[in-house]
Amino acid sequence: MDSQSARIDQLTPLRSRALVDDVYDLLLDKLTSGELAPDTALGIDPLARQLRISPTPIREALARLEHTGLVHRAANRGYRVAPPLSLEQMLELLDTRLVLEDGAIERAMRHAEDLLPDLDAAYEEHARAARALEGSGALHDQHRIHEYYAADWAFHQTILDHSHNRYISRAVNSLSFSFHRMRQTNAMGTTDAPVALAEHAAILNAVRTLDAAAAREALDVHLASLTERATDAAGNPTD
């Protein structure tokens, strides 16, 4: 056996990460759906008992979640759900999205014919999710709210995918967890669905006419309007 093979044979087998990944995905879903309120305690031992597993994968999953900003670790208090974003943080977040997504749609419009069918499908899914919020009590249904915001984000993701720039897409997606926190700043019982859907329609119509300048303008208007709505919501929270 040569020296290189000997060194490989001496490597310690890696433990399976599947359980940690499962715990991470479970907690992430609860955090992004708004099911867990800000400052909710995320005790390692209580979670381990509930899930009937050892504390180790819980601890590792929470450490990973801390990097998303959805969870934070406080001295003598352990892990807790992160507090809502401040107004200043929300404005910086939306300004960053404006800079990045403006570049994304400019690049996506270089191949507008390829973008159009996928963006049309994403819009129809967003419209379907918006209609699902029209029923009685729907605005207090966390599952429907979660589906609506997922469809809303997917519309933007379609533009990012067609920018053919993985770094722009990765940069915007790194903001997605912060965007979930921003939405959780607002109380359940209201969404911007009708307005956001109309603004997405304006973007889609500009893409349909192959008008790159109009598409960028419609996206800029949408994100500027979103900034205004976030500002109003932060200043006038619902009961």
Side-chain angles (χ1 to χ4, degrees), residues 8 21 27 33 42 44 61 79 94 99 104 134 148 150 176 220:
I8 292 175
D21 292 340
L27 293 177
S33 69
L42 298 169
I44 293 173
Y79 288 103
L94 288 163
V99 171
E134 296 173 358
Y148 168 77
S176 63
D220 290 352

Side-chain angles (χ1 to χ4, degrees), residues 103-105 107-110 158-166 168-169:
I105 199 167
R107 286 158 179 78
M109 286 301 292
R110 296 173 187 174
T158 301
I159 295 171
L160 293 170
D161 290 342
H162 282 270
S163 73
H164 300 295
N165 186 313
R166 72 193 69 185
I168 292 177
S169 181

Side-chain angles (χ1 to χ4, degrees), residues 16-199:
S16 171
R17 307 294 294 177
L19 188 55
V20 177
D21 292 340
D22 288 345
V23 174
Y24 176 90
D25 290 341
L26 174 66
L27 293 177
L28 180 63
D29 184 64
K30 290 184 178 297
L31 288 161
T32 56
S33 69
E35 187 174 338
L36 297 174
D39 203 41
T40 297
L42 298 169
I44 293 173
D45 290 335
L47 285 170
R49 286 194 296 271
Q50 289 178 39
L51 297 175
R52 299 180 181 179
I53 58 177
S54 75
T56 300
I58 303 289
R59 185 178 294 106
E60 293 186 23
L62 287 171
R64 285 172 55 186
L65 284 165
E66 191 173 8
H67 293 292
T68 69
L70 295 172
V71 166
H72 73 111
R73 188 177 186 182
N76 302 319
R77 299 185 74 203
Y79 288 103
R80 308 185 80 85
V81 178
L85 293 179
S86 67
L87 177 58
E88 181 180 10
Q89 288 173 313
M90 286 191 286
L91 294 178
E92 290 179 1
L93 171 63
L94 288 163
D95 186 50
T96 303
R97 280 192 63 185
L98 177 61
V99 171
L100 293 171
E101 293 192 51
D102 191 72
I105 199 167
E106 186 274 329
R107 286 158 179 78
M109 286 301 292
R110 296 173 187 174
H111 307 280
E113 298 89 345
D114 296 331
L115 169 64
L116 180 57
D118 289 343
L119 195 64
D120 200 8
Y123 175 81
E124 289 302 320
E125 182 59 23
H126 185 203
R128 183 203 63 76
R131 289 194 297 271
L133 295 178
E134 296 173 358
S136 177
L139 291 178
H140 294 274
D141 184 326
Q142 290 178 335
H143 178 69
R144 292 192 195 184
I145 293 288
H146 189 43
E147 281 198 336
Y148 168 77
Y149 283 129
D152 182 304
W153 188 268
F155 182 88
H156 290 263
Q157 185 62 54
T158 301
I159 295 171
L160 293 170
D161 290 342
H162 282 270
S163 73
H164 300 295
N165 186 313
R166 72 193 69 185
Y167 299 105
I168 292 177
S169 181
R170 187 181 302 169
V172 175
N173 273 279
S174 71
L175 305 174
S176 63
F177 298 119
S178 295
F179 205 63
H180 282 298
R181 284 179 66 202
M182 188 191 82
R183 283 167 168 159
Q184 290 165 15
T185 299
N186 304 329
M188 291 284 289
T190 181
T191 71
D192 63 350
V195 178
L197 191 63
E199 290 166 357

